Amino acid sequence: MAPEFRCDCPITSALDIVGDRWMLVIVKQMLIEDKRTFKDFVESDEAVATNILAAKLKCLENHGLIAKTRHPTNKKTNLYFLTEKGLSLAPLIVELALWSDTNLRDVHPTMRNQKEQFASMRKDRKAFVSKLQRHHREAMEASQRS
Amino acid sequence: MAPEFRCDCPITSALDIVGDRWMLVIVKQMLIEDKRTFKDFVESDEAVATNILAAKLKCLENHGLIAKTRHPTNKKTNLYFLTEKGLSLAPLIVELALWSDTNLRDVHPTMRNQKEQFASMRKDRKAFVSKLQRHHREAMEASQRS
DNA sequence: CAGGATCCGTTTCGATACTG
DNA sequence: CAGTATCGAAACGGATCCTG
């Protein structure tokens, strides 16, 4: 399943991978909202259909952005985590978040509990990105230990 | 045509606007490749179909990301430019470019004539973003004068 | 000839029901 | 819990046509 790209522009090729609503939504949920299981995604606010979710998870896995692991105790639960390649999308997600916070404020008044997060994000993007990545890596390691 | 968003998450709502392959491709072409006219987009490497292009341009216009102006001398040519809201997507585009440069290098060896651009981008993202925006604003003003 | 609009076959999406 | 199967709806895309 070698990726087929439509044209020679690197940016456009990147969009062949992440230029899709659900791809970035899933990455965002994993990175920011600590979603891990199929059920987490299905029950989320975004309410993706199960067949779409399965397809997108497979695609993300094929592209090496996420990896599926087994829940250490509960055998029938899978845990999805971002790979390093997936984690490298964090700056993109942060820019997306900041753009929405700036440009959709009239439509979506930022929720109280998120204000602090956005402020911190805007203040030092690089630090925020690192924090998100570190948090995710630690959660992943913790899940394998327990 | 008030935008309808699927859920309350700002990021997801942003994806209702820009979470589409063509939207970002068009913004990228305008910002980085100085594409201006319908013909420019159609003849580009990405080769979008005319009906799709017309729909996406209209959508971008409805969302206030681009604006259509008349070519000052050639009456039958329209010029599209990014608005300030559209220009504010520049950081996102830059992150996308950097991600693709880092993660798709094996598939898409960066073209020689782009190497310098990527290096400059990576060295100081903020400066690069400003340069792109400034360049676009100047081109827009120049086009109205001539 | 630029800038679309229309038609139409094909692909993808998405909601729900169902299965291991 | 973690997915498949199914099927109607929507989007895509190519070719062509229209309009100034």
Side-chain angles (χ1 to χ4, degrees):
Chain A
M1 159 109 186
E4 281 289 322
F5 296 114
R6 308 193 197 190
C7 82
D8 277 341
C9 173
I11 299 181
T12 306
S13 299
L15 288 175
D16 280 336
I17 302 179
V18 296
D20 172 291
R21 200 191 150 60
W22 294 119
M23 296 293 206
L24 285 181
V25 164
I26 291 170
V27 172
K28 177 212 71 164
Q29 292 183 343
M30 295 178 77
L31 189 65
I32 298 186
E33 294 158 28
D34 291 340
K35 311 260 185 199
R36 304 272 179 267
T37 68
F38 197 92
K39 188 162 177 272
D40 285 342
F41 299 122
V42 169
E43 290 178 347
S44 74
D45 224 20
E46 279 89 357
V48 55
T50 60
N51 56 343
I52 306 294
L53 177 59
K56 298 303 176 183
L57 285 173
K58 195 164 292 174
C59 185
L60 285 168
E61 202 178 351
N62 287 340
H63 282 295
L65 299 178
I66 68 174
K68 178 158 59 171
T69 67
R70 296 221 149 270
H71 192 290
T73 60
N74 184 350
K75 296 283 177 121
K76 55 186 173 184
T77 303
N78 292 323
L79 295 177
Y80 293 92
F81 282 101
L82 292 163
T83 61
E84 285 303 311
K85 189 172 175 182
L87 281 173
S88 72
L89 280 169
L92 192 64
I93 302 281
V94 164
E95 288 303 332
L96 192 62
L98 288 175
W99 189 84
S100 68
D101 185 46
T102 305
N103 291 282
L104 303 178
R105 190 165 285 175
D106 44 345
V107 193
H108 272 306
T110 308
M111 287 186 284
R112 192 145 316 219
N113 59 352
Q114 290 186 328
K115 278 195 178 171
E116 197 180 331
Q117 198 176 26
F118 278 114
S120 152
M121 204 183 289
R122 198 176 296 282
K123 194 171 162 193
D124 188 342
R125 306 181 189 200
K126 201 179 276 182
F128 195 88
V129 164
S130 299
K131 200 177 88 182
L132 284 177
Q133 293 172 335
R134 182 161 12 95
H135 176 72
H136 192 85
R137 289 193 194 99
E138 285 169 4
M140 180 161 51
E141 287 172 25
S143 84
Q144 300 307 56
R145 275 198 307 274
S146 58
Chain B
M1 159 109 192
E4 281 289 321
F5 296 114
R6 308 193 196 189
C7 83
D8 277 341
C9 172
I11 299 181
T12 306
S13 300
L15 288 175
D16 279 336
I17 302 179
V18 297
D20 172 291
R21 201 191 149 60
W22 293 120
M23 298 293 206
L24 284 181
V25 164
I26 292 170
V27 172
K28 177 213 71 164
Q29 292 184 343
M30 295 178 76
L31 189 66
I32 299 185
E33 295 158 28
D34 291 339
K35 311 261 187 200
R36 305 272 178 268
T37 68
F38 197 91
K39 189 162 176 273
D40 285 343
F41 299 122
V42 170
E43 289 177 350
S44 74
D45 226 19
E46 278 90 355
V48 53
T50 61
N51 55 343
I52 308 292
L53 176 60
K56 297 303 175 183
L57 285 173
K58 196 165 291 175
C59 186
L60 285 168
E61 203 178 349
N62 287 340
H63 282 296
L65 299 178
I66 67 174
K68 177 158 61 169
T69 68
R70 296 222 149 270
H71 193 291
T73 60
N74 185 348
K75 296 284 179 117
K76 55 186 172 183
T77 304
N78 293 321
L79 295 177
Y80 293 91
F81 282 101
L82 293 164
T83 61
E84 285 303 310
K85 189 172 173 182
L87 281 173
S88 72
L89 281 168
L92 191 64
I93 303 281
V94 164
E95 288 304 331
L96 192 62
L98 289 175
W99 189 85
S100 69
D101 185 47
T102 305
N103 291 282
L104 303 178
R105 192 165 283 176
D106 44 345
V107 193
H108 271 307
T110 308
M111 287 186 284
R112 188 145 318 215
N113 59 353
Q114 292 185 326
K115 277 194 178 168
E116 198 181 328
Q117 197 175 28
F118 278 114
S120 151
M121 205 183 290
R122 198 177 296 281
K123 194 171 161 194
D124 188 341
R125 306 182 189 201
K126 201 180 276 185
F128 195 88
V129 164
S130 299
K131 199 178 89 181
L132 283 178
Q133 293 172 335
R134 182 163 10 95
H135 176 72
H136 192 85
R137 288 193 194 100
E138 284 169 6
M140 179 161 51
E141 286 172 24
S143 85
Q144 300 305 56
R145 273 198 308 275
S146 58

